[in-house]
Amino acid sequence: MTISPLDHLTQLLAKLPGLGPRSARRAVLFLLKRRETLMLPLAEALRKAAHEVKDCSVCGNLDAQDPCGVCRDARRDASVICVVEDVADLWALERSHAFRGQYHVLGGTLSALEGVRPDDLRIEALLERLKDGAVKEVILALNATVEGQTTAHYVTERLTPLGVAVTKLAHGLPVGGELDYLDDGTLTAALQARRTFG
Amino acid sequence: MEWMDEAILLSARPHGETAAIVTLLTAEHGCHAGMVPGGQGRRGQVSLQPGNHVQAAWRARLLDHLGTYTLEVVTAHAAPWLDHPEVLNIMAAACAVTEAALPERQPMPGVYAGLSALFSLSDADLWGPLYVKWELGLLKALGYGLDLSRCAVSGESENLSHVSPRTGRAVSIGAAQPYRNRLLTLPAFLLGSGTWTAEDVLQGLDLTGHFLARHVFAHAHSRMQPAQTDELPPARQRLADFYRRAVENGAAA
């Protein structure tokens, strides 16, 4: 039995995060009413992205060119590498415009439950990037979770013999955070990381 | 069905788009899994950290259903230790070993009390030796306790220095002499000595690791998924590697 193109499209859209079968049907109707202005351009964009976007062989970012735009940008500071867990974290840091160095995507964190071991992460690729001595600082921008920080400590151990400075993001009060609503862990971390004011 | 209990969170994995499936070591209901609706949200991620002491309410239509949890964090044990690799490694290893070793839904009040006491330690130096002692307690709770009270050969209770890898019984330094290469070293802190080094902790981990691998993780009920069933969980292997590197670096210094 062959499935109709309508049902096939609905089924595929229903697999996207945030969409169920009902919302997928609404999306299909929405697209069909805008075939020329949205549906065909979307199909072309999907085809192009599927064929052209690939992992950057240097940092692990996703881009249509290899090395990616961040790695090729000569205006960025090549002496600082910011290590992130995945591409979404890289994009979050880029949105902030707060960092102008290079990145390195680890591809996950050490996880007992998921069976992620050091060999499954792009740690060797990071060590390879540091071999020529041009990088002076590595910033570990990993999540403030047990797995994230366990991974950060492991990466630090591997980097220490290379003599490169290793730093990490601060933990504590978020901008706009009210003490009364913060969890105990964040408050503890904020107190431990307090610094001179003024 | 419904109950409330205090618990230590051992693991949390994503389920669907927003929920999480967590495994808790509860005080009265043993190792118990359940679903946390919204567990992948910002609030959920804060409370679903391994090692957290939580107040858990479990509900299900039937007792053998997975059920859903409502969790409230009592103490975020890991939060003060995020900058301390030794404690984080121990916490990760303890959670992984507990989840992999214990049968589901079988009350283990002694194991819970031991883990709770370990995670409540405020002195980082005590974590290593007390973790080894907790693993000894875990072996005993599972029916594989070691006999470190007297020498298996001579019967003497003094000068114990090794453990037989086959029987788990202590051997005195004199009796151990001809078989030293085949015996496991018994660190002095397990016999009541108040001092220890990273090497002592490593020897303790090798000792308990040998019997955990042989008796516990070789069994079919074990829920871990390594290549070899008699391997220790990866987090536990990383803990031993951590101490091994500490010993090597200390020797080099």
Short mmCIF file of all heavy atoms in Angstrom, two decimals, chain B residues 105-166:
data_model
loop_
_atom_site.label_atom_id
_atom_site.label_comp_id
_atom_site.label_asym_id
_atom_site.label_seq_id
_atom_site.Cartn_x
_atom_site.Cartn_y
_atom_site.Cartn_z
N ARG B 105 13.84 -2.04 42.90
CA ARG B 105 12.71 -2.07 43.85
C ARG B 105 12.92 -3.03 45.01
O ARG B 105 11.97 -3.65 45.49
CB ARG B 105 11.41 -2.38 43.11
CG ARG B 105 11.10 -1.35 42.04
CD ARG B 105 9.73 -1.51 41.47
NE ARG B 105 9.45 -0.48 40.47
CZ ARG B 105 8.24 -0.22 40.00
NH1 ARG B 105 7.21 -0.93 40.41
NH2 ARG B 105 8.06 0.72 39.10
N GLN B 106 14.16 -3.22 45.39
CA GLN B 106 14.45 -4.05 46.56
C GLN B 106 15.08 -3.14 47.61
O GLN B 106 16.17 -2.60 47.39
CB GLN B 106 15.42 -5.17 46.19
CG GLN B 106 15.61 -6.17 47.32
CD GLN B 106 16.41 -7.37 46.87
OE1 GLN B 106 16.20 -7.89 45.77
NE2 GLN B 106 17.34 -7.80 47.69
N PRO B 107 14.40 -2.92 48.74
CA PRO B 107 14.91 -1.98 49.73
C PRO B 107 16.33 -2.33 50.18
O PRO B 107 16.62 -3.48 50.49
CB PRO B 107 13.93 -2.11 50.89
CG PRO B 107 12.67 -2.59 50.26
CD PRO B 107 13.10 -3.49 49.14
N MET B 108 17.19 -1.33 50.19
CA MET B 108 18.58 -1.49 50.62
C MET B 108 18.90 -0.32 51.56
O MET B 108 19.66 0.58 51.20
CB MET B 108 19.53 -1.44 49.41
CG MET B 108 19.45 -2.63 48.49
SD MET B 108 20.43 -3.98 49.17
CE MET B 108 20.35 -5.17 47.86
N PRO B 109 18.29 -0.31 52.76
CA PRO B 109 18.44 0.85 53.63
C PRO B 109 19.90 1.12 54.02
O PRO B 109 20.29 2.28 54.16
CB PRO B 109 17.59 0.50 54.86
CG PRO B 109 17.34 -0.96 54.76
CD PRO B 109 17.43 -1.35 53.33
N GLY B 110 20.69 0.06 54.17
CA GLY B 110 22.09 0.25 54.55
C GLY B 110 22.88 0.94 53.45
O GLY B 110 23.68 1.85 53.72
N VAL B 111 22.65 0.52 52.21
CA VAL B 111 23.37 1.12 51.07
C VAL B 111 22.95 2.58 50.95
O VAL B 111 23.78 3.47 50.72
CB VAL B 111 23.06 0.36 49.76
CG1 VAL B 111 23.72 1.04 48.58
CG2 VAL B 111 23.53 -1.09 49.87
N TYR B 112 21.65 2.86 51.13
CA TYR B 112 21.16 4.24 51.03
C TYR B 112 21.80 5.10 52.13
O TYR B 112 22.29 6.21 51.84
CB TYR B 112 19.63 4.28 51.17
CG TYR B 112 19.12 5.70 51.22
CD1 TYR B 112 18.98 6.44 50.06
CD2 TYR B 112 18.84 6.31 52.44
CE1 TYR B 112 18.57 7.75 50.10
CE2 TYR B 112 18.42 7.62 52.49
CZ TYR B 112 18.29 8.34 51.32
OH TYR B 112 17.90 9.65 51.37
N ALA B 113 21.81 4.59 53.35
CA ALA B 113 22.36 5.38 54.46
C ALA B 113 23.85 5.66 54.22
O ALA B 113 24.33 6.77 54.47
CB ALA B 113 22.16 4.62 55.77
N GLY B 114 24.57 4.65 53.71
CA GLY B 114 26.00 4.83 53.44
C GLY B 114 26.25 5.87 52.36
O GLY B 114 27.12 6.74 52.49
N LEU B 115 25.45 5.79 51.28
CA LEU B 115 25.63 6.73 50.17
C LEU B 115 25.26 8.15 50.62
O LEU B 115 25.94 9.13 50.28
CB LEU B 115 24.76 6.31 48.99
CG LEU B 115 25.09 6.93 47.64
CD1 LEU B 115 26.49 6.56 47.19
CD2 LEU B 115 24.08 6.52 46.58
N SER B 116 24.21 8.24 51.41
CA SER B 116 23.77 9.54 51.91
C SER B 116 24.85 10.16 52.80
O SER B 116 25.15 11.35 52.70
CB SER B 116 22.47 9.34 52.69
OG SER B 116 21.88 10.56 52.97
N ALA B 117 25.45 9.33 53.65
CA ALA B 117 26.52 9.83 54.54
C ALA B 117 27.74 10.25 53.72
O ALA B 117 28.37 11.28 54.00
CB ALA B 117 26.90 8.74 55.54
N LEU B 118 28.08 9.45 52.69
CA LEU B 118 29.23 9.78 51.84
C LEU B 118 29.01 11.13 51.16
O LEU B 118 29.90 11.99 51.18
CB LEU B 118 29.41 8.68 50.78
CG LEU B 118 30.51 8.90 49.74
CD1 LEU B 118 31.89 8.77 50.39
CD2 LEU B 118 30.40 7.90 48.60
N PHE B 119 27.83 11.33 50.58
CA PHE B 119 27.56 12.56 49.83
C PHE B 119 27.42 13.78 50.74
O PHE B 119 27.45 14.91 50.26
CB PHE B 119 26.28 12.41 48.99
CG PHE B 119 26.47 11.55 47.76
CD1 PHE B 119 27.69 10.99 47.47
CD2 PHE B 119 25.42 11.31 46.90
CE1 PHE B 119 27.88 10.21 46.34
CE2 PHE B 119 25.58 10.53 45.76
CZ PHE B 119 26.82 9.97 45.49
N SER B 120 27.26 13.54 52.04
CA SER B 120 27.13 14.66 52.97
C SER B 120 28.47 15.12 53.53
O SER B 120 28.52 16.08 54.30
CB SER B 120 26.20 14.26 54.13
OG SER B 120 24.94 13.92 53.64
N LEU B 121 29.55 14.43 53.17
CA LEU B 121 30.87 14.79 53.71
C LEU B 121 31.24 16.20 53.29
O LEU B 121 31.05 16.59 52.14
CB LEU B 121 31.94 13.82 53.19
CG LEU B 121 31.93 12.41 53.75
CD1 LEU B 121 32.94 11.56 53.00
CD2 LEU B 121 32.25 12.42 55.23
N SER B 122 31.79 16.95 54.22
CA SER B 122 32.19 18.32 53.89
C SER B 122 33.70 18.45 53.73
O SER B 122 34.18 19.47 53.25
CB SER B 122 31.71 19.29 54.97
OG SER B 122 32.20 18.87 56.23
N ASP B 123 34.46 17.41 54.12
CA ASP B 123 35.92 17.44 53.98
C ASP B 123 36.31 16.62 52.75
O ASP B 123 36.15 15.39 52.74
CB ASP B 123 36.56 16.86 55.25
CG ASP B 123 38.08 16.94 55.22
OD1 ASP B 123 38.64 17.26 54.15
OD2 ASP B 123 38.70 16.68 56.27
N ALA B 124 36.84 17.28 51.73
CA ALA B 124 37.15 16.59 50.47
C ALA B 124 38.15 15.45 50.66
O ALA B 124 38.09 14.44 49.95
CB ALA B 124 37.70 17.58 49.46
N ASP B 125 39.06 15.56 51.64
CA ASP B 125 40.08 14.52 51.84
C ASP B 125 39.48 13.19 52.28
O ASP B 125 40.11 12.14 52.12
CB ASP B 125 41.10 14.98 52.89
CG ASP B 125 41.93 16.15 52.39
OD1 ASP B 125 41.98 16.33 51.15
OD2 ASP B 125 42.49 16.89 53.21
N LEU B 126 38.30 13.24 52.86
CA LEU B 126 37.70 11.99 53.39
C LEU B 126 36.96 11.20 52.31
O LEU B 126 36.64 10.03 52.51
CB LEU B 126 36.71 12.33 54.51
CG LEU B 126 37.30 12.97 55.78
CD1 LEU B 126 36.19 13.36 56.74
CD2 LEU B 126 38.25 11.99 56.46
N TRP B 127 36.66 11.84 51.18
CA TRP B 127 35.81 11.18 50.19
C TRP B 127 36.43 9.89 49.65
O TRP B 127 35.73 8.89 49.50
CB TRP B 127 35.52 12.15 49.03
CG TRP B 127 34.41 13.10 49.31
CD1 TRP B 127 34.45 14.15 50.17
CD2 TRP B 127 33.09 13.09 48.76
NE1 TRP B 127 33.24 14.81 50.17
CE2 TRP B 127 32.39 14.19 49.31
CE3 TRP B 127 32.44 12.29 47.84
CZ2 TRP B 127 31.07 14.48 48.98
CZ3 TRP B 127 31.13 12.58 47.50
CH2 TRP B 127 30.45 13.66 48.07
N GLY B 128 37.72 9.91 49.33
CA GLY B 128 38.37 8.74 48.73
C GLY B 128 38.28 7.50 49.60
O GLY B 128 37.70 6.48 49.20
N PRO B 129 38.86 7.54 50.83
CA PRO B 129 38.81 6.34 51.67
C PRO B 129 37.39 5.93 52.05
O PRO B 129 37.09 4.73 52.11
CB PRO B 129 39.60 6.74 52.92
CG PRO B 129 39.75 8.21 52.87
CD PRO B 129 39.68 8.61 51.43
N LEU B 130 36.50 6.91 52.27
CA LEU B 130 35.13 6.53 52.66
C LEU B 130 34.36 5.94 51.47
O LEU B 130 33.48 5.10 51.66
CB LEU B 130 34.39 7.71 53.25
CG LEU B 130 34.86 8.08 54.67
CD1 LEU B 130 34.00 9.16 55.28
CD2 LEU B 130 34.87 6.85 55.59
N TYR B 131 34.73 6.34 50.25
CA TYR B 131 34.09 5.72 49.09
C TYR B 131 34.47 4.24 49.00
O TYR B 131 33.63 3.37 48.74
CB TYR B 131 34.47 6.43 47.79
CG TYR B 131 33.92 5.71 46.58
CD1 TYR B 131 32.57 5.76 46.29
CD2 TYR B 131 34.74 4.93 45.77
CE1 TYR B 131 32.04 5.06 45.23
CE2 TYR B 131 34.22 4.23 44.70
CZ TYR B 131 32.87 4.30 44.43
OH TYR B 131 32.36 3.59 43.38
N VAL B 132 35.77 3.95 49.26
CA VAL B 132 36.21 2.55 49.23
C VAL B 132 35.46 1.75 50.31
O VAL B 132 34.99 0.62 50.06
CB VAL B 132 37.74 2.45 49.46
CG1 VAL B 132 38.17 1.00 49.55
CG2 VAL B 132 38.48 3.14 48.31
N LYS B 133 35.31 2.35 51.49
CA LYS B 133 34.59 1.66 52.57
C LYS B 133 33.11 1.46 52.19
O LYS B 133 32.51 0.44 52.52
CB LYS B 133 34.70 2.45 53.87
CG LYS B 133 36.09 2.40 54.47
CD LYS B 133 36.15 3.12 55.79
CE LYS B 133 37.56 3.00 56.37
NZ LYS B 133 37.70 3.70 57.65
N TRP B 134 32.54 2.45 51.49
CA TRP B 134 31.15 2.30 51.05
C TRP B 134 31.03 1.14 50.05
O TRP B 134 30.07 0.36 50.11
CB TRP B 134 30.65 3.61 50.41
CG TRP B 134 29.28 3.47 49.83
CD1 TRP B 134 28.09 3.49 50.51
CD2 TRP B 134 28.96 3.20 48.46
NE1 TRP B 134 27.06 3.27 49.63
CE2 TRP B 134 27.55 3.10 48.38
CE3 TRP B 134 29.72 3.06 47.30
CZ2 TRP B 134 26.90 2.86 47.17
CZ3 TRP B 134 29.06 2.83 46.11
CH2 TRP B 134 27.67 2.73 46.06
N GLU B 135 32.01 0.99 49.16
CA GLU B 135 31.97 -0.14 48.21
C GLU B 135 32.09 -1.47 48.96
O GLU B 135 31.45 -2.46 48.57
CB GLU B 135 33.09 -0.02 47.17
CG GLU B 135 32.75 0.98 46.07
CD GLU B 135 33.62 0.83 44.82
OE1 GLU B 135 34.69 0.20 44.90
OE2 GLU B 135 33.23 1.34 43.76
N LEU B 136 32.91 -1.49 50.02
CA LEU B 136 32.98 -2.72 50.84
C LEU B 136 31.60 -3.02 51.43
O LEU B 136 31.17 -4.19 51.47
CB LEU B 136 33.99 -2.54 51.97
CG LEU B 136 35.46 -2.77 51.66
CD1 LEU B 136 36.29 -2.56 52.92
CD2 LEU B 136 35.70 -4.18 51.13
N GLY B 137 30.92 -1.98 51.91
CA GLY B 137 29.58 -2.14 52.47
C GLY B 137 28.58 -2.61 51.42
O GLY B 137 27.71 -3.43 51.69
N LEU B 138 28.74 -2.09 50.20
CA LEU B 138 27.86 -2.50 49.09
C LEU B 138 28.04 -3.99 48.81
O LEU B 138 27.06 -4.74 48.65
CB LEU B 138 28.18 -1.68 47.84
CG LEU B 138 27.39 -2.01 46.58
CD1 LEU B 138 25.93 -1.59 46.73
CD2 LEU B 138 27.99 -1.31 45.36
N LEU B 139 29.31 -4.43 48.76
CA LEU B 139 29.58 -5.86 48.53
C LEU B 139 28.93 -6.70 49.63
O LEU B 139 28.32 -7.74 49.36
CB LEU B 139 31.09 -6.10 48.51
CG LEU B 139 31.82 -5.75 47.21
CD1 LEU B 139 33.32 -5.70 47.42
CD2 LEU B 139 31.48 -6.77 46.12
N LYS B 140 29.04 -6.23 50.87
CA LYS B 140 28.46 -6.97 51.99
C LYS B 140 26.94 -7.02 51.87
O LYS B 140 26.32 -8.07 52.09
CB LYS B 140 28.87 -6.30 53.30
CG LYS B 140 28.56 -7.11 54.53
CD LYS B 140 29.13 -6.45 55.77
CE LYS B 140 28.82 -7.31 57.00
NZ LYS B 140 29.26 -6.67 58.23
N ALA B 141 26.33 -5.88 51.51
CA ALA B 141 24.87 -5.82 51.39
C ALA B 141 24.36 -6.76 50.30
O ALA B 141 23.25 -7.27 50.37
CB ALA B 141 24.44 -4.39 51.11
N LEU B 142 25.21 -6.98 49.28
CA LEU B 142 24.81 -7.86 48.17
C LEU B 142 25.18 -9.31 48.43
O LEU B 142 24.96 -10.17 47.58
CB LEU B 142 25.45 -7.37 46.86
CG LEU B 142 24.94 -6.01 46.36
CD1 LEU B 142 25.79 -5.50 45.21
CD2 LEU B 142 23.48 -6.12 45.92
N GLY B 143 25.77 -9.57 49.59
CA GLY B 143 26.09 -10.95 49.96
C GLY B 143 27.50 -11.39 49.61
O GLY B 143 27.80 -12.59 49.62
N TYR B 144 28.37 -10.45 49.30
CA TYR B 144 29.74 -10.80 48.92
C TYR B 144 30.76 -10.08 49.81
O TYR B 144 31.80 -9.62 49.33
CB TYR B 144 30.00 -10.43 47.45
CG TYR B 144 29.02 -11.05 46.49
CD1 TYR B 144 28.06 -10.28 45.87
CD2 TYR B 144 29.04 -12.42 46.23
CE1 TYR B 144 27.14 -10.85 45.01
CE2 TYR B 144 28.13 -12.99 45.37
CZ TYR B 144 27.18 -12.19 44.76
OH TYR B 144 26.27 -12.76 43.91
N GLY B 145 30.44 -9.98 51.09
CA GLY B 145 31.32 -9.27 52.01
C GLY B 145 32.69 -9.92 52.12
O GLY B 145 32.83 -11.14 52.01
N LEU B 146 33.73 -9.09 52.31
CA LEU B 146 35.08 -9.60 52.48
C LEU B 146 35.33 -9.84 53.98
O LEU B 146 34.78 -9.12 54.82
CB LEU B 146 36.11 -8.60 51.95
CG LEU B 146 35.89 -8.05 50.53
CD1 LEU B 146 37.11 -7.24 50.09
CD2 LEU B 146 35.62 -9.16 49.55
N ASP B 147 36.15 -10.81 54.29
CA ASP B 147 36.49 -11.08 55.69
C ASP B 147 37.88 -10.51 55.95
O ASP B 147 38.88 -11.14 55.61
CB ASP B 147 36.46 -12.60 55.93
CG ASP B 147 36.79 -12.94 57.39
OD1 ASP B 147 36.99 -11.99 58.18
OD2 ASP B 147 36.85 -14.14 57.72
N LEU B 148 37.92 -9.34 56.57
CA LEU B 148 39.19 -8.68 56.84
C LEU B 148 39.53 -8.75 58.32
O LEU B 148 40.37 -7.99 58.81
CB LEU B 148 39.13 -7.21 56.39
CG LEU B 148 38.68 -6.95 54.95
CD1 LEU B 148 38.69 -5.45 54.63
CD2 LEU B 148 39.57 -7.69 53.95
N SER B 149 38.89 -9.69 59.06
CA SER B 149 39.09 -9.71 60.51
C SER B 149 40.31 -10.53 60.92
O SER B 149 40.96 -10.21 61.91
CB SER B 149 37.84 -10.28 61.19
OG SER B 149 37.60 -11.60 60.71
N ARG B 150 40.64 -11.57 60.15
CA ARG B 150 41.79 -12.39 60.52
C ARG B 150 42.40 -13.05 59.29
O ARG B 150 41.76 -13.12 58.24
CB ARG B 150 41.42 -13.45 61.55
CG ARG B 150 40.42 -14.49 61.06
CD ARG B 150 40.18 -15.55 62.11
NE ARG B 150 39.55 -14.99 63.30
CZ ARG B 150 38.24 -14.80 63.43
NH1 ARG B 150 37.42 -15.15 62.44
NH2 ARG B 150 37.73 -14.30 64.51
N CYS B 151 43.64 -13.54 59.47
CA CYS B 151 44.36 -14.16 58.35
C CYS B 151 43.74 -15.52 57.99
O CYS B 151 43.49 -16.34 58.88
CB CYS B 151 45.83 -14.32 58.71
SG CYS B 151 46.78 -15.19 57.45
N ALA B 152 43.50 -15.73 56.71
CA ALA B 152 42.89 -16.99 56.27
C ALA B 152 43.84 -18.17 56.44
O ALA B 152 43.41 -19.32 56.53
CB ALA B 152 42.50 -16.87 54.80
N VAL B 153 45.16 -17.90 56.53
CA VAL B 153 46.15 -18.97 56.63
C VAL B 153 46.51 -19.25 58.08
O VAL B 153 46.37 -20.38 58.58
CB VAL B 153 47.43 -18.62 55.83
CG1 VAL B 153 48.45 -19.76 55.89
CG2 VAL B 153 47.06 -18.30 54.38
N SER B 154 46.95 -18.20 58.80
CA SER B 154 47.45 -18.40 60.16
C SER B 154 46.40 -18.15 61.23
O SER B 154 46.57 -18.54 62.37
CB SER B 154 48.65 -17.48 60.40
OG SER B 154 48.22 -16.13 60.31
N GLY B 155 45.32 -17.44 60.89
CA GLY B 155 44.28 -17.12 61.87
C GLY B 155 44.60 -15.89 62.70
O GLY B 155 43.76 -15.44 63.49
N GLU B 156 45.79 -15.32 62.54
CA GLU B 156 46.15 -14.15 63.36
C GLU B 156 45.39 -12.91 62.87
O GLU B 156 45.04 -12.80 61.69
CB GLU B 156 47.66 -13.90 63.33
CG GLU B 156 48.22 -13.58 61.96
CD GLU B 156 49.72 -13.28 62.00
OE1 GLU B 156 50.14 -12.52 62.88
OE2 GLU B 156 50.43 -13.81 61.12
N SER B 157 45.14 -12.00 63.80
CA SER B 157 44.39 -10.79 63.44
C SER B 157 45.29 -9.56 63.32
O SER B 157 44.81 -8.47 63.07
CB SER B 157 43.28 -10.54 64.47
OG SER B 157 43.85 -10.47 65.75
N GLU B 158 46.59 -9.75 63.50
CA GLU B 158 47.54 -8.64 63.38
C GLU B 158 48.30 -8.75 62.05
O GLU B 158 48.34 -9.80 61.42
CB GLU B 158 48.56 -8.69 64.54
CG GLU B 158 47.94 -8.60 65.92
CD GLU B 158 47.34 -7.24 66.19
OE1 GLU B 158 47.95 -6.24 65.78
OE2 GLU B 158 46.23 -7.18 66.77
N ASN B 159 48.91 -7.64 61.64
CA ASN B 159 49.78 -7.60 60.46
C ASN B 159 49.10 -8.08 59.17
O ASN B 159 49.74 -8.72 58.33
CB ASN B 159 51.05 -8.44 60.70
CG ASN B 159 51.84 -7.95 61.90
OD1 ASN B 159 51.97 -6.74 62.10
ND2 ASN B 159 52.30 -8.88 62.72
N LEU B 160 47.84 -7.78 59.03
CA LEU B 160 47.14 -8.16 57.79
C LEU B 160 47.57 -7.20 56.67
O LEU B 160 47.62 -5.99 56.87
CB LEU B 160 45.63 -8.11 57.99
CG LEU B 160 45.10 -9.01 59.11
CD1 LEU B 160 43.60 -8.80 59.30
CD2 LEU B 160 45.39 -10.47 58.81
N SER B 161 47.90 -7.74 55.52
CA SER B 161 48.46 -6.87 54.46
C SER B 161 47.88 -7.16 53.07
O SER B 161 48.04 -6.34 52.17
CB SER B 161 49.98 -7.06 54.39
OG SER B 161 50.27 -8.41 54.04
N HIS B 162 47.26 -8.31 52.89
CA HIS B 162 46.76 -8.66 51.56
C HIS B 162 45.39 -9.33 51.66
O HIS B 162 44.93 -9.67 52.76
CB HIS B 162 47.74 -9.62 50.85
CG HIS B 162 49.03 -8.95 50.46
ND1 HIS B 162 50.04 -8.72 51.36
CD2 HIS B 162 49.46 -8.46 49.27
CE1 HIS B 162 51.04 -8.12 50.74
NE2 HIS B 162 50.71 -7.95 49.46
N VAL B 163 44.75 -9.52 50.50
CA VAL B 163 43.45 -10.20 50.43
C VAL B 163 43.52 -11.21 49.28
O VAL B 163 44.05 -10.91 48.20
CB VAL B 163 42.31 -9.19 50.18
CG1 VAL B 163 40.98 -9.92 49.97
CG2 VAL B 163 42.19 -8.21 51.33
N SER B 164 42.97 -12.38 49.54
CA SER B 164 42.94 -13.39 48.48
C SER B 164 41.92 -12.99 47.42
O SER B 164 40.75 -12.73 47.75
CB SER B 164 42.55 -14.75 49.07
OG SER B 164 42.12 -15.61 48.04
N PRO B 165 42.31 -12.91 46.14
CA PRO B 165 41.34 -12.52 45.09
C PRO B 165 40.27 -13.57 44.86
O PRO B 165 39.25 -13.30 44.23
CB PRO B 165 42.23 -12.35 43.85
CG PRO B 165 43.45 -13.15 44.10
CD PRO B 165 43.66 -13.16 45.60
N ARG B 166 40.48 -14.77 45.37
CA ARG B 166 39.51 -15.85 45.15
C ARG B 166 38.48 -15.91 46.28
O ARG B 166 37.29 -15.98 46.04
CB ARG B 166 40.24 -17.18 45.02
CG ARG B 166 39.41 -18.29 44.39
CD ARG B 166 40.25 -19.53 44.15
NE ARG B 166 40.80 -20.08 45.39
CZ ARG B 166 40.12 -20.86 46.23
NH1 ARG B 166 38.88 -21.19 45.96
NH2 ARG B 166 40.69 -21.31 47.33
#
